[in-house]
Amino acid sequence: MTHTGFAPGKLILMGEHAVVYGHPAIAMAVDRGTHVTLTDRHGATGLDVPWIDDPRLTAALHAVLPAAGVGVKIQSDLPIGRGMGSSGALAVALARAALARSGAEQTDVAVGGLALSVERIFHGNPSGIDHTVSMRAGALQYHRSPTGPVFSPIDLAPLPIVVIDSNTAGDTAKQVASVAALGPSAEGYLAQIGTLVQATIPALAEGDIDVIGQAWHENHWLLRAIGVSTPTLDAIVRAANEAGATGAKLAGAGGGGVVIALAHDPAKLIKSMNQRGWKAFT
Ligand code: PMV
Protein backbone atom coordinates (compact mmCIF):
# COMPACT_ATOMS: atom_id res chain seq x y z
CA MET A 1 0.00 0.00 0.00
CA THR A 2 1.19 3.51 -0.84
CA HIS A 3 0.13 6.77 0.81
CA THR A 4 1.21 10.28 -0.19
CA GLY A 5 1.27 13.80 1.16
CA PHE A 6 2.25 17.15 -0.37
CA ALA A 7 2.85 20.62 1.01
CA PRO A 8 4.22 23.84 -0.51
CA GLY A 9 7.20 25.79 0.81
CA LYS A 10 6.96 29.40 1.88
CA LEU A 11 8.62 32.77 2.00
CA ILE A 12 8.45 35.01 5.04
CA LEU A 13 7.75 38.44 3.58
CA MET A 14 8.33 40.25 6.88
CA GLY A 15 8.71 39.54 10.58
CA GLU A 16 11.00 36.48 10.87
CA HIS A 17 12.68 36.07 14.26
CA ALA A 18 10.38 38.72 15.80
CA VAL A 19 7.54 36.19 15.32
CA VAL A 20 9.26 33.81 17.76
CA TYR A 21 8.69 36.51 20.45
CA GLY A 22 5.02 37.14 19.76
CA HIS A 23 5.33 39.89 17.14
CA PRO A 24 3.38 39.61 13.88
CA ALA A 25 4.84 38.21 10.66
CA ILE A 26 3.58 37.75 7.12
CA ALA A 27 4.33 34.68 5.03
CA MET A 28 3.08 33.21 1.80
CA ALA A 29 3.17 29.76 0.27
CA VAL A 30 5.19 29.37 -2.94
CA ASP A 31 4.69 27.28 -6.08
CA ARG A 32 7.35 24.74 -5.07
CA GLY A 33 7.01 22.04 -2.47
CA THR A 34 7.65 18.59 -1.06
CA HIS A 35 6.05 15.22 -1.83
CA VAL A 36 6.23 12.30 0.63
CA THR A 37 5.40 8.74 -0.43
CA LEU A 38 5.00 6.01 2.19
CA THR A 39 5.16 2.35 1.20
CA ASP A 40 4.80 -0.71 3.42
CA ARG A 41 8.07 -2.63 3.78
CA HIS A 42 9.79 -5.13 6.09
CA GLY A 43 12.24 -3.90 8.70
CA ALA A 44 12.81 -0.55 10.37
CA THR A 45 11.01 2.55 9.10
CA GLY A 46 13.41 4.63 7.02
CA LEU A 47 14.16 6.21 3.67
CA ASP A 48 13.60 4.02 0.60
CA VAL A 49 15.62 6.44 -1.50
CA PRO A 50 18.49 8.50 -0.01
CA TRP A 51 17.66 12.18 0.49
CA ILE A 52 19.54 14.85 2.46
CA ASP A 53 22.18 13.71 4.90
CA ASP A 54 20.75 15.13 8.14
CA PRO A 55 20.75 13.15 11.38
CA ARG A 56 17.49 14.87 12.44
CA LEU A 57 15.63 13.24 9.56
CA THR A 58 15.36 9.78 11.18
CA ALA A 59 14.05 11.34 14.39
CA ALA A 60 11.51 13.30 12.32
CA LEU A 61 10.27 10.15 10.57
CA HIS A 62 9.97 8.31 13.88
CA ALA A 63 8.02 11.21 15.40
CA VAL A 64 5.06 10.57 13.11
CA LEU A 65 5.46 6.98 11.85
CA PRO A 66 5.69 3.57 13.53
CA ALA A 67 9.27 2.45 14.27
CA ALA A 68 9.03 -0.41 11.73
CA GLY A 69 7.25 -1.24 8.52
CA VAL A 70 7.31 2.02 6.52
CA GLY A 71 9.50 3.02 3.59
CA VAL A 72 9.68 6.77 2.94
CA LYS A 73 10.45 8.57 -0.31
CA ILE A 74 10.87 12.38 -0.23
CA GLN A 75 10.93 14.51 -3.37
CA SER A 76 11.26 18.28 -3.20
CA ASP A 77 12.05 21.17 -5.51
CA LEU A 78 12.66 23.50 -2.56
CA PRO A 79 16.27 24.49 -1.93
CA ILE A 80 17.30 23.10 1.51
CA GLY A 81 18.20 25.50 4.31
CA ARG A 82 17.53 28.58 2.20
CA GLY A 83 14.62 30.04 4.19
CA MET A 84 12.04 28.68 1.77
CA GLY A 85 10.39 26.42 4.30
CA SER A 86 11.88 23.08 3.29
CA SER A 87 11.48 21.63 6.79
CA GLY A 88 7.97 23.05 7.26
CA ALA A 89 6.87 21.60 3.91
CA LEU A 90 8.41 18.24 4.81
CA ALA A 91 6.68 18.33 8.21
CA VAL A 92 3.24 18.94 6.67
CA ALA A 93 3.69 16.50 3.76
CA LEU A 94 4.86 13.81 6.20
CA ALA A 95 1.95 14.52 8.57
CA ARG A 96 -0.55 14.26 5.69
CA ALA A 97 0.94 11.01 4.42
CA ALA A 98 1.07 9.53 7.96
CA LEU A 99 -2.58 10.44 8.59
CA ALA A 100 -3.61 9.00 5.21
CA ARG A 101 -1.75 5.79 6.12
CA SER A 102 -3.51 5.46 9.46
CA GLY A 103 -6.88 6.29 7.88
CA ALA A 104 -7.34 9.35 10.13
CA GLU A 105 -9.04 12.55 9.00
CA GLN A 106 -6.65 15.31 7.88
CA THR A 107 -8.03 18.11 10.03
CA ASP A 108 -5.89 21.22 10.68
CA VAL A 109 -5.53 20.13 14.31
CA ALA A 110 -4.29 16.66 13.33
CA VAL A 111 -1.96 17.82 10.52
CA GLY A 112 -0.74 20.85 12.50
CA GLY A 113 -0.04 18.80 15.64
CA LEU A 114 2.06 16.17 13.85
CA ALA A 115 3.83 18.80 11.72
CA LEU A 116 4.74 20.81 14.83
CA SER A 117 6.34 17.74 16.41
CA VAL A 118 8.53 17.40 13.28
CA GLU A 119 9.34 21.13 13.22
CA ARG A 120 10.48 20.93 16.87
CA ILE A 121 13.04 18.31 15.86
CA PHE A 122 14.46 20.54 13.13
CA HIS A 123 14.06 23.96 14.78
CA GLY A 124 13.98 23.57 18.56
CA ASN A 125 11.60 26.46 19.31
CA PRO A 126 9.62 27.10 16.12
CA SER A 127 7.09 29.93 16.08
CA GLY A 128 4.89 27.64 13.98
CA ILE A 129 4.60 30.09 11.07
CA ASP A 130 6.42 27.81 8.60
CA HIS A 131 4.28 24.72 8.93
CA THR A 132 1.09 26.77 9.34
CA VAL A 133 1.53 28.56 6.01
CA SER A 134 2.58 25.27 4.35
CA MET A 135 -0.60 23.69 5.71
CA ARG A 136 -3.01 26.54 4.88
CA ALA A 137 -1.36 27.80 1.65
CA GLY A 138 -2.03 31.35 0.42
CA ALA A 139 -0.71 34.25 2.51
CA LEU A 140 -1.06 34.57 6.28
CA GLN A 141 -0.63 37.12 9.00
CA TYR A 142 0.59 35.17 12.04
CA HIS A 143 1.52 35.75 15.66
CA ARG A 144 2.04 33.68 18.77
CA SER A 145 -0.17 34.46 21.74
CA PRO A 146 -0.21 33.03 25.29
CA THR A 147 -3.20 30.91 24.27
CA GLY A 148 -1.65 29.61 21.03
CA PRO A 149 -0.97 30.77 17.47
CA VAL A 150 -3.27 33.38 15.93
CA PHE A 151 -3.37 33.56 12.15
CA SER A 152 -5.63 34.85 9.43
CA PRO A 153 -5.46 34.90 5.64
CA ILE A 154 -4.26 38.19 4.22
CA ASP A 155 -5.13 39.57 0.81
CA LEU A 156 -1.87 40.19 -0.95
CA ALA A 157 -1.73 42.11 -4.20
CA PRO A 158 0.18 40.15 -6.87
CA LEU A 159 3.79 41.09 -6.09
CA PRO A 160 6.66 40.72 -8.60
CA ILE A 161 8.93 39.15 -5.95
CA VAL A 162 12.44 38.26 -7.10
CA VAL A 163 14.16 35.55 -5.04
CA ILE A 164 17.97 35.65 -5.06
CA ASP A 165 19.81 32.58 -3.76
CA SER A 166 22.99 33.31 -1.77
CA ASN A 167 24.07 29.76 -2.55
CA THR A 168 24.74 29.14 1.14
CA ALA A 169 22.52 27.38 3.66
CA GLY A 170 21.58 28.67 7.11
CA ASP A 171 20.70 26.59 10.17
CA THR A 172 17.39 27.84 11.57
CA ALA A 173 17.83 26.32 15.05
CA LYS A 174 21.28 27.93 15.35
CA GLN A 175 20.04 31.33 14.16
CA VAL A 176 17.04 31.29 16.53
CA ALA A 177 19.36 30.31 19.43
CA SER A 178 21.79 33.12 18.59
CA VAL A 179 18.97 35.69 18.80
CA ALA A 180 17.79 34.18 22.10
CA ALA A 181 21.36 34.51 23.44
CA LEU A 182 21.22 38.30 22.84
CA GLY A 183 18.57 38.48 25.57
CA PRO A 184 17.04 41.89 26.35
CA SER A 185 19.44 43.72 24.01
CA ALA A 186 17.49 42.34 21.02
CA GLU A 187 14.05 43.28 22.33
CA GLY A 188 13.98 46.81 20.91
CA TYR A 189 14.94 45.61 17.40
CA LEU A 190 12.37 42.79 17.50
CA ALA A 191 9.64 45.21 18.59
CA GLN A 192 10.61 47.59 15.75
CA ILE A 193 10.27 44.71 13.28
CA GLY A 194 6.76 43.99 14.66
CA THR A 195 5.74 47.65 14.29
CA LEU A 196 7.11 47.74 10.74
CA VAL A 197 5.14 44.60 9.79
CA GLN A 198 1.86 46.12 11.06
CA ALA A 199 2.55 49.41 9.25
CA THR A 200 3.23 47.65 5.93
CA ILE A 201 0.05 45.56 5.75
CA PRO A 202 -1.96 48.19 3.77
CA ALA A 203 0.86 48.53 1.20
CA LEU A 204 1.04 44.73 0.86
CA ALA A 205 -2.69 44.63 0.15
CA GLU A 206 -2.44 47.49 -2.37
CA GLY A 207 0.75 46.21 -4.00
CA ASP A 208 2.58 49.50 -3.41
CA ILE A 209 6.04 48.14 -4.15
CA ASP A 210 7.79 51.43 -3.34
CA VAL A 211 6.43 51.44 0.22
CA ILE A 212 6.95 47.67 0.66
CA GLY A 213 10.49 47.94 -0.73
CA GLN A 214 11.39 50.66 1.77
CA ALA A 215 9.93 48.54 4.59
CA TRP A 216 11.90 45.46 3.43
CA HIS A 217 15.05 47.60 3.39
CA GLU A 218 14.42 48.62 7.02
CA ASN A 219 13.45 45.05 7.98
CA HIS A 220 16.74 43.76 6.54
CA TRP A 221 18.89 46.19 8.52
CA LEU A 222 16.97 45.36 11.71
CA LEU A 223 17.68 41.66 11.05
CA ARG A 224 21.31 42.59 10.52
CA ALA A 225 21.28 44.39 13.88
CA ILE A 226 20.30 41.14 15.62
CA GLY A 227 23.13 39.32 13.89
CA VAL A 228 21.30 36.99 11.50
CA SER A 229 22.52 38.45 8.22
CA THR A 230 25.85 37.62 6.58
CA PRO A 231 28.27 39.72 4.47
CA THR A 232 26.98 37.84 1.38
CA LEU A 233 23.31 38.56 2.17
CA ASP A 234 24.18 42.24 2.80
CA ALA A 235 26.09 42.36 -0.50
CA ILE A 236 23.09 40.90 -2.36
CA VAL A 237 20.75 43.44 -0.76
CA ARG A 238 23.07 46.29 -1.80
CA ALA A 239 23.50 44.88 -5.32
CA ALA A 240 19.74 44.49 -5.72
CA ASN A 241 19.21 48.12 -4.70
CA GLU A 242 21.90 49.25 -7.18
CA ALA A 243 20.13 47.22 -9.88
CA GLY A 244 16.86 49.06 -9.34
CA ALA A 245 15.09 47.13 -6.57
CA THR A 246 12.70 49.25 -4.51
CA GLY A 247 13.99 47.24 -1.53
CA ALA A 248 15.35 43.85 -0.52
CA LYS A 249 15.72 41.73 2.60
CA LEU A 250 16.88 38.31 3.70
CA ALA A 251 13.95 35.92 4.06
CA GLY A 252 13.78 33.22 6.71
CA ALA A 253 16.22 32.52 9.50
CA GLY A 254 19.30 34.01 7.78
CA GLY A 255 22.92 32.88 8.20
CA GLY A 256 22.58 32.01 4.49
CA GLY A 257 19.52 31.36 2.38
CA VAL A 258 17.70 33.71 0.05
CA VAL A 259 17.11 37.43 -0.35
CA ILE A 260 13.74 38.66 -1.63
CA ALA A 261 13.51 41.89 -3.62
CA LEU A 262 10.88 43.95 -5.38
CA ALA A 263 11.46 45.89 -8.58
CA HIS A 264 9.39 47.73 -11.17
CA ASP A 265 11.38 45.80 -13.78
CA PRO A 266 11.91 42.30 -12.27
CA ALA A 267 13.44 40.88 -15.49
CA LYS A 268 16.16 43.55 -15.40
CA LEU A 269 16.86 42.78 -11.73
CA ILE A 270 17.09 39.03 -12.42
CA LYS A 271 19.49 39.64 -15.31
CA SER A 272 21.69 41.88 -13.21
CA MET A 273 21.80 39.38 -10.32
CA ASN A 274 22.63 36.53 -12.74
CA GLN A 275 25.45 38.62 -14.21
CA ARG A 276 26.90 38.94 -10.70
CA GLY A 277 26.79 35.14 -10.32
CA TRP A 278 23.67 34.78 -8.18
CA LYS A 279 20.77 32.61 -9.25
CA ALA A 280 17.57 34.66 -9.23
CA PHE A 281 13.96 33.74 -10.04
CA THR A 282 10.45 35.04 -9.49
O1 PMV B 1 14.44 29.86 7.66
P1 PMV B 1 13.14 29.25 7.93
O2 PMV B 1 12.37 28.97 6.72
O3 PMV B 1 13.27 28.05 8.78
O4 PMV B 1 12.27 30.32 8.77
C1 PMV B 1 12.45 30.51 10.13
C2 PMV B 1 11.64 31.65 10.66
C3 PMV B 1 12.05 32.10 12.06
O5 PMV B 1 11.21 33.20 12.40
C4 PMV B 1 13.50 32.57 12.10
C5 PMV B 1 11.89 30.98 13.08
C6 PMV B 1 10.44 30.64 13.41
O6 PMV B 1 10.23 29.56 13.96
O7 PMV B 1 9.54 31.44 13.15
Side-chain angles (χ1 to χ4, degrees):
M1 272 292 257
T2 290
H3 297 91
T4 58
F6 171 79
K10 64 91 191 63
L11 283 169
I12 298 184
L13 300 187
M14 295 185 77
E16 50 274 269
H17 287 289
V19 70
V20 175
Y21 299 88
H23 300 291
I26 293 163
M28 60 172 234
V30 297
D31 55 0
R32 294 172 175 226
T34 299
H35 289 271
V36 168
T37 307
L38 305 179
T39 313
D40 294 343
R41 75 171 191 190
H42 293 295
T45 290
L47 290 179
D48 274 338
V49 180
W51 196 52
I52 54 165
D53 186 16
D54 185 326
R56 296 171 294 189
L57 191 53
T58 306
L61 299 184
H62 288 165
V64 298
L65 295 170
V70 190
V72 184
K73 187 169 147 199
I74 301 168
Q75 292 162 296
S76 182
D77 57 359
L78 290 165
I80 308 293
R82 300 288 213 277
M84 290 193 69
S86 55
S87 70
L90 171 63
V92 174
L94 198 53
R96 287 193 170 135
L99 289 167
R101 186 175 184 278
S102 63
E105 208 184 325
Q106 295 186 32
T107 60
D108 277 3
V109 172
V111 175
L114 285 184
L116 182 61
S117 64
V118 173
E119 276 287 81
R120 285 209 175 104
I121 290 165
F122 283 104
H123 285 188
N125 175 26
S127 67
I129 190 170
D130 281 18
H131 79 269
T132 303
V133 76
S134 278
M135 181 173 82
R136 300 296 295 250
L140 290 183
Q141 183 180 350
Y142 181 102
H143 73 270
R144 262 178 156 175
S145 84
T147 52
V150 179
F151 53 90
S152 51
I154 165 168
D155 254 341
L156 278 187
L159 295 171
I161 299 173
V162 174
V163 181
I164 306 147
D165 189 349
S166 72
N167 222 9
T168 52
D171 181 327
T172 301
K174 217 161 102 188
Q175 295 299 109
V176 170
S178 76
V179 175
L182 295 175
S185 66
E187 277 170 16
Y189 295 121
L190 296 167
Q192 279 185 65
I193 292 174
T195 306
L196 192 58
V197 171
Q198 284 292 0
T200 314
I201 289 173
L204 285 163
E206 285 156 20
D208 186 336
I209 68 170
D210 293 306
V211 172
I212 304 165
Q214 179 57 37
W216 283 10
H217 188 72
E218 289 170 31
N219 195 164
H220 180 78
W221 296 102
L222 288 165
L223 288 166
R224 186 174 188 273
I226 56 168
V228 297
S229 190
T230 65
T232 304
L233 293 170
D234 293 345
I236 294 175
V237 165
R238 283 202 196 89
N241 291 336
E242 280 163 25
T246 62
K249 66 179 275 291
L250 72 85
V258 296
V259 165
I260 53 174
L262 283 170
H264 290 284
D265 187 346
K268 184 171 154 235
L269 178 60
I270 289 174
K271 196 168 156 207
S272 167
M273 293 295 104
N274 288 337
Q275 277 164 355
R276 290 169 190 250
W278 287 305
K279 202 161 73 189
F281 52 93
T282 48

